[in-house]
Structure formats: C-alpha cells, structure tokens
Amino acid sequence: MRIPVRGGLRRGNPLRRRSDAVAAWSAVSVALLLFTGAPLAGVWAGLWAHRQAATVAAVQRAERHHVRAKVTGNPSRPLPAADGQERPRRATVRWTEAATGEHTAEARVPAGTRAGDVVDVWIDARGHGVGAPPDDVAVWQHTVTVGGCATGGAALLVVLGHGAARRIAMRRRLLEWEREWARTGPDWTSGAA
C-alpha cells in the first residue's frame, strides 16, 4: 500500500490518520537520507581513507628506496595465475651502494627474469626486498573504493531501516483496524441478520 507524500502531508484531509502522516514524513526523510546523507557519509569515509592511505604511502616512501640490482640466484617458480599472466617472483639480488658497500637480499623480480639480469627492486631500511610503496593512483583507488562502499552501506542501512519501520507501522495499522472493526462491526452485522 503506497501513500502519496503530497496527500499524506495535508492536514485538512478527514480520512487522514496519524499513521498516514508518519508514513508520508518517513518517505520524505528516507529520500533526504538517500540523496544527501548517504553521499555525505561516502565523502566523509573517502576523505578519511585518503588521509590514512596517503600517510601510509608517505611512511613507506620514507622507509624504502629504489635500487638497480643484479639477479644472482635463479628466481623462484611462478605461482599459477587465473588470467594466464605470470606473477612477480622472488630471487636473490645483489647491489652496491656508495655509502654502505655491497648488499644481497631476496627481492621481488618481474616475471621472466633470469640470473644475470639487472632489475629495479625496492629495499626497506633493514635491507630486505619489499614491494613498491603505493603511488598516488593506488591511494585514490583506495579512497574511491572506501567512499563508494560507505555510500552503498549507508543507503542499504536507510532502506533496511525504512523497510523495518514500514513493517512495524503496517502491524500497528492492522491492529487499529481490527479494534475499530470490533467496535463498529456488530452495528453493521446486526441489521443484516
């Protein structure tokens, strides 16, 4: 049973019940929450996620550095991939830095790398091979994903809440009708018998 908002908000309608006005106002509030509240929740969550991701990326950029290294050991066997593409593998690499000398570590190398190839790798402060720090594109992808999920979650919460409220209102409305019929029903049926 749908109640038009325009007719439900009028005060001069003699057939309007209190439950009709509540249903009309709840429809207005649901529309406001869906079209303003949910997007604002998504924007807020996205901004929060952007600050967090940008901070993590800045810390990782400060802790990691990029070096050109020579692969000294055979790369590990590639992991099978569903899309047929080879994934990066791990191999022993060696590089030299002017301040600290020669270093050796296990690092991620591109697929198809062989012993003796020179590759670009990322090294952390302890000299371990690590992945590249997130770039601006990864930070923004994270931001948009979190914002979109927050918007969808807020909208779902509003819709589910509205559905529960409508169900409760319908139960109350049916109970009111039963009580009124119990009061007026004998007057209607006594004349027919």
Side-chain angles (χ1 to χ4, degrees), residues 99-127:
T100 57
E102 191 171 283
H103 300 278
T104 303
E106 284 277 319
R108 292 180 187 172
V109 296
T113 303
R114 295 187 191 96
D117 290 349
V118 176
V119 294
D120 295 325
V121 294
W122 286 88
I123 307 298
D124 67 6
R126 295 179 308 239

Side-chain angles (χ1 to χ4, degrees), residues 11-36:
R11 296 180 188 262
N13 186 348
L15 299 177
R16 181 186 68 99
R17 298 172 184 232
R18 183 172 184 252
S19 60
D20 297 331
V22 169
W25 282 108
S26 70
V28 169
S29 64
V30 165
L32 285 173
L33 287 172
L34 282 177
F35 295 115
T36 60

Side-chain angles (χ1 to χ4, degrees), residues 62-79:
E63 291 175 345
R64 300 173 183 188
H65 63 280
H66 181 260
V67 296
R68 302 252 325 140
K70 184 175 184 178
V71 178
T72 58
N74 286 327
S76 61
R77 292 177 25 173
L79 296 173

Side-chain angles (χ1 to χ4, degrees), residues 9-180:
L9 297 176
R10 284 192 207 141
R11 296 180 188 262
N13 186 348
L15 299 177
R16 181 186 68 99
R17 298 172 184 232
R18 183 172 184 252
S19 60
D20 297 331
V22 169
W25 282 108
S26 70
V28 169
S29 64
V30 165
L32 285 173
L33 287 172
L34 282 177
F35 295 115
T36 60
L40 285 175
V43 166
W44 179 83
L47 290 174
W48 175 82
H50 186 269
R51 278 193 301 273
Q52 296 296 323
T55 301
V56 167
V59 167
Q60 287 184 1
R61 280 188 214 114
E63 291 175 345
R64 300 173 183 188
H65 63 280
H66 181 260
V67 296
R68 302 252 325 140
K70 184 175 184 178
V71 178
T72 58
N74 286 327
S76 61
R77 292 177 25 173
L79 296 173
D83 59 1
Q85 300 275 334
E86 282 192 47
R87 299 287 181 236
R89 302 185 270 173
R90 296 195 70 77
T92 304
V93 297
R94 182 175 296 143
W95 72 98
T96 304
E97 292 180 357
T100 57
E102 191 171 283
H103 300 278
T104 303
E106 284 277 319
R108 292 180 187 172
V109 296
T113 303
R114 295 187 191 96
D117 290 349
V118 176
V119 294
D120 295 325
V121 294
W122 286 88
I123 307 298
D124 67 6
R126 295 179 308 239
H128 297 116
V130 292
D135 58 358
D136 289 338
V137 172
V139 169
W140 279 107
Q141 285 174 338
H142 178 72
T143 300
V144 170
T145 301
V146 169
C149 289
T151 300
L156 181 64
L157 189 64
V158 167
V159 169
L160 289 176
H162 180 63
R166 283 182 56 113
R167 190 170 282 183
I168 291 168
M170 183 58 77
R171 283 187 192 150
R172 283 190 176 175
R173 196 174 294 147
L174 290 174
L175 286 173
E176 285 177 15
W177 288 343
E178 284 180 22
R179 274 188 253 130
E180 288 180 22

